[in-house]
Amino acid sequence: AIGAGVALLFLFTGLIGGMSSVFSSTWSYLVRNPYFQQARYTGSRGWRLVYAAGLIVGALVWWLGFSDGTPLHTEDLAQALCKAPQQKYSDCDAVLLGRLLYRYTPQGLHNLQEFARRLLINVLLGNADAHLKNWSLCYQDGHAATLAPAYDIAFTQPLGVQQRLLAIGGCDDWYALEFAHFAQWCSAVGVPWRLVRPALLDTVERA
């Protein structure tokens, strides 16, 4: 539903939907600090607030109509690793995240395989915005962490977003990446390559 909303927003207005700067845009109404008065905030704050309100209303409708009312705790990986929002790119390391999922979640291998799939999907779709806050953990039972469903995967190249591919096996070049780099990444994480390779082959087949 959110994806459909983003697509319609772009189709009818030419605007790219996103929540990343909604808080800064909102503060620009109240704070005269030059940082908050940048054109990228003041020029987009109106539609960003409407967009945010739409997401909140949509979440409320889902909660009232489809949820059983049980709270679900989630946290993005910046929160899980105690990183400040401004560190979401600089401290985003594929080996560190892989080890976190493999070693410290109950379904470690499953979560790592899914993480590997999404690393590959980000490359195939040209998504250069896979920072720490675009990966999350959820706690279905309130205690045990699992990798949350994918979100905020976008084709960022047309938007002029600087390429920020998570380095996989030492490679951060979309066009040079090979399965051999994933094998090196598995070795650094500490998981046998043979356990991850089938998930990547399946992802390529589905693509």
Side-chain angles (χ1 to χ4, degrees):
I2 293 176
V6 171
L8 288 173
L9 178 69
F10 178 76
L11 180 64
F12 290 110
T13 69
L15 298 172
I16 305 297
M19 292 289 290
S20 298
S21 62
V22 67
F23 296 107
S24 299
S25 299
T26 303
W27 276 112
S28 70
Y29 283 109
L30 306 172
V31 179
R32 291 301 159 191
N33 183 291
Y35 175 82
F36 294 105
Q37 295 303 313
Q38 296 179 73
R40 61 180 176 141
Y41 295 141
T42 58
S44 65
R45 60 191 181 187
W47 71 261
R48 284 190 185 276
L49 281 175
V50 173
Y51 184 74
L55 290 180
I56 292 170
V57 170
L60 181 62
V61 169
W62 179 87
W63 185 71
L64 292 174
F66 303 98
S67 170
D68 62 3
T70 303
L72 175 63
H73 175 63
T74 65
E75 60 181 354
D76 63 52
L77 291 188
Q79 296 170 316
L81 295 170
C82 300
K83 301 295 184 181
Q86 58 267 31
Q87 296 175 288
K88 65 183 182 180
Y89 290 110
S90 61
D91 289 8
C92 195
D93 178 89
V95 173
L96 174 64
L97 301 187
R99 288 175 179 169
L100 170 67
L101 293 169
Y102 185 53
R103 299 179 182 179
Y104 300 106
T105 62
Q107 294 181 308
L109 178 59
H110 171 77
N111 287 325
L112 183 71
Q113 290 169 333
E114 182 61 26
F115 180 62
R117 285 180 184 272
R118 295 185 204 175
L119 288 174
L120 180 55
I121 287 170
N122 282 323
V123 175
L124 296 175
L125 295 182
N127 176 32
D129 202 36
H131 53 71
L132 283 175
K133 297 188 76 62
N134 281 342
W135 305 89
S136 288
L137 300 174
C138 63
Y139 300 80
Q140 298 285 354
D141 62 358
H143 301 284
T146 188
L147 186 63
Y151 62 94
D152 211 1
I153 296 178
F155 180 33
T156 59
Q157 283 186 316
L159 308 180
V161 176
Q162 181 181 353
Q163 182 173 325
R164 285 192 175 97
L165 171 65
L166 282 174
I168 301 168
C171 179
D172 60 0
D173 183 345
W174 282 338
Y175 302 103
L177 188 68
E178 299 178 353
F179 268 21
H181 295 110
F182 276 97
Q184 293 175 34
W185 170 73
C186 285
S187 178
V189 170
V191 63
W193 165 233
R194 60 182 173 79
L195 298 180
V196 175
R197 184 172 181 270
L200 297 178
L201 290 173
D202 178 67
T203 301
V204 172
E205 180 67 24
R206 290 169 180 265

